[in-house]
Each structure stands twice: as C-alpha cells, then as structure tokens.
Amino acid sequence: MTGGDGAGRAAVAGATDQEELWRRARDVMPGGVSSPVRAFNAVGGEAFFSASGRGAHLEDVEGNRYLDYVLSWGPLILGHAHPEVVEAVQRAAEEGVSFGTSVPGEVELAETVREWFPGVEMLRFVNSGTEATMSAVRLARGVTGRDLVLKFDGCYHGHGDSFLVEAGSGVATFGLPDSPGVPSAVSELTVTAPFNDLEAVRRVFDRHGDRLAAVILEPVVGNAGLIPPVDGFLEGLREVTRDHDALLIFDEVMTGFRAARGGAQERYGVEPDLTTMGKVLGGGLPVGAFGGKREWMREVAPDGPVYQAGTLSGNPLAMAAGLAQLRVLDREDPFDELADRAERLVDGILERARERGIPATGAAVGSMWGVHFTDGPVHSYDDAREADASFFARYHRECLERGVFLAPSAFEAGFLSTAHTEEDIDRTLTVVGEAMDAAREEA
Ligand code: HOZ
C-alpha cells in the first residue's frame, strides 16, 4: 500500500480505523458488505473502505492509495471523479434530485445510445444491470410466448432468479451452487451450454427449439475472467436464434462502451435483438437500460403489454452523470488508445509470467482485460476453472500490498480508464513482477 494525502478521511467523519469499521459492519450487514465480492473472501487479505477517488487512484479511509483496475467494477471509464461528471451531477442536484416524471436528460442519453449501438432503436432506463437483464428476458418471453432461456456457463447477468444457474462473478468466486431461494420451477426454465460451443447450442435448439424464448450472453465474458468469443461464435448464435424465432440478447453491461464505442455488437458486427447495459452508461451512478429493435420495444408498457417500471428510473442525477461521461468519450474518442494500453498491460503481465515459468494466458478487448493463471487456452468457464486460484489469491494480496488494486476474484475482468497513464502501466508491470515473485515464495 502506498501512503496518500489522507484527503479522503474527512469524508467518513472520523471513521478511519478499518478494523473497527469491519467489526461494526459485520455486525449490521451480512459479511459487512452491500455486495458479496467486496468482502475479498476469495483472496483473503484486507478488504478496505474507500474514502475518495481521483483519476486512476483510490484512497481508503486510512489514507492508503491504490492504482485502481476495478473502477467501481467497470463504470468509471474516465477514472474517478472526472470533473465534467462531478460538475454535471452537482448542477443537476441543485435543480432537484428526483421528480418521478420524465426529464430531458433521458431523451438525450437514449438518443446517444441509439446512435452508438447498432442494435438499439429504442430503450428503457432502469437502475442496474440486474434489472436490465430481468426486464429483457421478460420481454423476450412476452413477445415469443415461450418460457425457456439459454445462458452460458460462467456468464453472469446479475442476481435475477433466472440467471443464478452456472453463473460467474461472485457466484463463481464463492464456489456457490445455484442459489437457495430460487424456486426450481424458475431455474428449470434456464438451460445452459458452454461458452464458445456452437455445437452444444445447436443441440439445445434441436431439443427445445420451439420452447426457447431467448439466448442471453455476455458477448465477451467478463465474469469468469475475460473470455473473448471465438471466430464465428456470435455469428452462429445470430443464425441459430433467427432460424428458431428466438431472441438473441447481448448483455453489454460490461462490454458496452468498452469492447468498442458501440459495444461488442459494433466490434464483432453482430446485431442482437435486445441489448442490456449499465456500468459506463451511468457514469458511476446506478443506471441500467434494456433496448433493441423497435418491433420488440413497442411491446413494453405503456406502448405494449409487457410490464416494467421503476420509481427512480431515469433519475436526473444519473442521467446527467451518464450523459457527461458519454460526451467526454464522444469528444475525446479514446477507444483505440485505451485498447492499445490494455493490450500492452496484458502482454507485459504475460511476459513477466513467462520469464518466471508461471503458466498464464490472457487477453484484452477494448478497455477490458484479463489474465488466467493456466496454460490455456481459455475459451470457456471450465477452462477458466483450470486456473491456479491459490496463486491468484497470493498474487492479488501482493499487488494490493504494493498499491495496485485488482478485482478480488479470478472470475472478474479488469478495466482501464483514460486516467491510467503509460507510467501507471509501467509501474503496474514492475509491481506485477514483484508480486509474482512474492506469491511464489509464499507458496
Ligand atoms: N457487477 C459486477 C459483475 N462482475 C460485480 C460487482 C458486484 O457484484 O458487486
């Protein structure tokens, strides 16, 4: 950990002792957290309470400073507290924090998304990626009159009942089976297949074709570490869903604005019927959306019968933050530079692993990146599970100790922001080499 200027301390009104905070937190919240992955259970070491963030850095309540590759789990593509985002939120707040009516920002943000995402003609704002995927699947079921949904092992689409089957992210991190509390009558409606296995998908369609409402996937998996699609996989899914009148749903909560400006659908040239998004879309505030072809979106209430609603959806502060972030992206067009930098980071990490004889494979897709500690290749969740989890845990702790914050799970992608400089990448690579040596010694 590196010492910071302590500026963040004031933000928590005297609560600067993390041990004491964890004690209080665990007494009043399950695991002491508001979302399981924050507890660092899979990697051990010290989870921390954040006090402030600036650019590529995060500072905890004790004044320790970290170079941040988690970036609030993806949303902060401009880094922490970008001045234009902060100013937009402040300005919006001065006019009122919520109205429960439509606001102009919704129209502008929706139009921007439509312009950037080839498959989106209309959309509905919600408050999270989970809401977006739940709503998209309801819509798919509503318009097809069918019940089954095909998802892929290791893909994570939030914590909706239908998705906690062979899920990635925290579910994979904690090694949980399908969650208790999900009625079997619901989980039985979810069919799974291995990612990147088109033959398996075809077999599912041969068997259940006339009962499948939709195929939902992360077009680039970010919740089992990073797993890009193999050539022809997305195209094959487009074909098979079209042949069987099922909807193809791209969950672009992570890949949106990251795999490319217009998401994975722009990058790979495959247009889904429905798209879900979140994270970058909200500039760090709680925003999600689902959208797609006009033909389907017209079925959403009040235009159509498929019901979906939300008191805080389209919130003016959230719309202002999202719009401000997208305006900066539009003006600065940083996508190629981010992609080059992410690639240099991954290449550098793999090189350091190679030099030390540590098995590793990895990839960067736009501003998302990931490394699996296995010889690879990693094309599926099963491949990802081959990676050395105990080495990752030690490596994570050693990186954190040296001031580099990676997602506290091997089943998460890394992210990059425009605030990460070439010097930050150099420093990270130095830390990574040291952390690998230390992690090996610790074994
Ligand atoms: N939504 C993120 C998916 N990897 C993880 C964040 C969380 O579960 O808190």
Side-chain angles (χ1 to χ4, degrees), residues 35-38 73 156 169-170 222-223 254 279 411-412:
S35 193
V37 291
R38 297 180 196 173
W73 302 85
Y156 178 74
S169 189
N223 283 290
M254 272 196 193
K279 298 200 189 275
F411 298 108
E412 297 286 351

